[in-house]
Amino acid sequence: MNENQDLANEVLHAYEKKIFDLKQLLEISKSLSSTLDYNILMDSILFTCMGQMQVLKIGLFTKKAIDHDYFSLHRNYKGFEIDHTIDCTIPEKSALTAFLADHHRCFTMPELLNKTEKVAELKLFTILEPTLIVPLIIKGAVNGIIILGDRIDGVAFKEEEKDYLMDISTFASIAIQNAFLFEMTTTDMMTKLKLRHFFFANLIEHQEISLSKGIPVSVIMLDIDHFKKLNDTYGHTFGDIVLKQISAIVRNSIRRIDIAARYGGEEFIILLPGVEAAEAMEVAERIRKAIEATIFKNGEVDVTSTISLGVAQFDKNRDLTSEDLIKRADKALYVSKETGRN
């Protein structure tokens, strides 16, 4: 009788754990699918896996940008000591990703080394020394790789825990795919800046926040000086190169929470939440100087370019609509143009 009772309790405990795990997975799925912001999503995946697996070291190889054909650790790691002189990237199409796509499961380093021969990407893993490698797979292709260090208690990962990790990785890969699709529908593919409709939606939202909480918000309008002359002199192909490089400078000159968009042609606009006009002027000046100092290569010819900018801070008494704020920034830009450019 006692043996039967013990067996029943064991089965009951196993079912209770299974139900608990399923509830946890449901919550994880809801959490990961609740944001389309790529940076927030990366942190969410990292902290979810750290908490569920009780590890102190974790890394996530993903694409940093839509047009990248490789996965990078970038800032997506905790606990691992990264040698920044080493190229921490893995080609999207490589022997390693092909192997992981064909074998939908977690691997320890010894297992990977045993099952794959002369895979160049494994050299990076031998430097990082992860305990477990977890592929993120969607539609038969890898769209990310999670690496985990040892557990806090030093106990090896059980097979059921590896299966649990693969369930989490499925939700993570779907969330990453959705974030990328959202990114594609809101991004100008030439400049990699946001599209106008996305910018205006966020501007309206931050104006409402400013009205209710008194948090400042500013915008910067900028336009490339004499861009038509540059196109006429060097051709539209070179003009596109200048557009892309200036856009990259703009993206690298602002915070993650700021939004830079292509307003039209060679004109751009930047949304700066929580920033007053004086600080926005500093941002504008930093961008102006960076572009003024840039040399654009056109074959053997070195070409320089400048921009003019206008800044405006949201004023509830003057800016009844988002268009009112844009008009004031555009008017300031016009003054910059009229008084000498750059």
Side-chain angles (χ1 to χ4, degrees):
M1 182 70 177
N2 287 339
E3 288 183 6
N4 290 338
Q5 185 64 46
D6 289 342
L7 180 61
N9 288 337
E10 190 177 324
V11 172
L12 179 61
H13 178 72
Y15 274 113
E16 286 176 343
K17 185 179 184 307
K18 189 69 175 175
I19 291 170
F20 176 79
D21 288 346
L22 289 172
K23 286 182 177 178
Q24 286 284 91
L25 285 172
L26 180 61
E27 290 303 312
I28 290 169
S29 173
K30 287 162 62 178
S31 173
L32 295 182
S33 61
S34 65
T35 180
L36 291 171
D37 185 295
Y38 198 65
N39 294 311
I40 294 174
L41 176 60
M42 295 305 103
D43 286 342
S44 183
I45 292 171
L46 288 174
F47 290 121
T48 295
C49 291
M50 287 183 77
Q52 293 296 314
M53 294 296 111
Q54 296 295 296
V55 296
L56 292 176
K57 294 198 296 185
I58 187 168
L60 175 57
F61 285 86
T62 57
K63 292 183 181 180
K64 186 183 173 185
I66 299 172
D67 57 340
H68 285 181
D69 57 1
Y70 58 87
F71 304 118
S72 169
L73 265 183
H74 192 43
R75 296 189 181 95
N76 304 326
Y77 62 88
K78 309 290 179 185
F80 282 103
E81 292 185 9
I82 307 298
D83 183 348
H84 295 286
T85 63
I86 297 172
D87 180 20
C88 291
T89 61
I90 298 171
E92 181 182 12
K93 298 187 184 302
S94 64
L96 177 61
T97 56
F99 175 82
L100 292 174
D102 289 339
H103 301 78
H104 197 283
R105 51 166 290 218
C106 302
F107 287 93
T108 63
M109 270 304 295
E111 286 174 335
L112 263 186
L113 290 169
N114 184 48
K115 292 180 179 292
T116 57
E117 295 182 3
K118 297 179 181 178
V119 175
E121 294 76 31
L122 285 183
K123 183 180 179 182
L124 174 59
F125 285 170
T126 57
I127 295 171
L128 295 171
E129 297 183 329
T131 301
L132 205 61
I133 294 93
V134 186
L136 306 182
I137 300 172
I138 188 166
K139 296 181 180 179
V142 173
N143 70 346
I145 300 172
I146 296 173
I147 56 173
L148 299 171
D150 291 330
R151 306 216 7 203
I152 295 173
D153 56 13
V155 177
F157 291 97
K158 299 175 183 177
E159 288 304 314
E160 57 264 33
E161 290 175 323
K162 293 179 184 179
D163 293 338
Y164 187 66
L165 259 175
M166 288 307 298
D167 289 333
I168 294 175
S169 78
T170 298
F171 295 133
S173 59
I174 292 170
I176 288 173
Q177 178 74 358
N178 289 340
F180 260 106
L181 290 173
F182 178 73
E183 191 78 5
M184 290 177 68
T185 60
T186 59
T187 302
D188 174 63
M189 297 310 293
M190 176 189 284
T191 62
K192 303 302 181 294
L193 300 178
K194 290 300 182 182
L195 296 171
R196 278 180 61 156
H197 71 84
F198 181 85
F199 177 90
F200 271 102
N202 279 271
L203 175 58
I204 292 169
E205 179 183 338
H206 282 288
Q207 282 182 292
E208 291 173 353
I209 292 171
S210 183
L211 283 170
S212 61
K213 299 182 179 180
I215 298 173
V217 59
S218 297
V219 297
I220 302 173
M221 293 280 288
L222 60 117
D223 184 85
I224 302 174
D225 296 327
H226 303 297
F227 189 69
K228 183 180 183 303
K229 182 179 179 182
L230 185 145
N231 270 333
D232 292 343
T233 304
Y234 301 106
H236 288 274
T237 300
F238 180 70
D240 289 346
I241 292 172
V242 172
L243 275 174
K244 292 175 184 177
Q245 291 189 25
I246 285 179
S247 299
I249 292 170
V250 170
R251 291 199 310 272
N252 293 328
S253 300
I254 60 177
R255 305 166 300 173
R256 289 201 309 179
I257 63 170
D258 301 330
I259 297 172
R262 189 177 185 185
Y263 197 70
E266 68 275 15
E267 193 170 21
F268 310 111
I269 190 165
I270 304 169
L271 174 65
L272 302 170
V275 173
E276 295 184 347
E279 188 180 348
M281 289 284 287
E282 293 176 4
V283 176
E285 179 64 5
R286 183 166 67 242
I287 295 171
R288 186 197 66 77
K289 285 182 176 179
I291 292 169
E292 183 184 35
T294 299
I295 303 296
F296 303 94
K297 291 286 185 180
N298 183 31
E300 298 297 319
V301 180
D302 290 347
V303 180
T304 59
S305 184
T306 61
I307 58 169
S308 296
L309 308 95
V311 173
Q313 179 181 336
F314 173 63
D315 182 341
K316 64 180 181 180
N317 296 317
R318 289 192 286 175
D319 304 319
L320 302 180
T321 67
S322 56
E323 285 80 7
D324 292 334
L325 176 58
I326 300 297
K327 284 178 182 177
R328 290 201 297 112
D330 195 43
K331 185 176 180 180
L333 169 62
Y334 179 78
V335 172
S336 295
K337 291 281 190 185
E338 288 295 299
T339 53
R341 293 183 168 84
N342 192 26

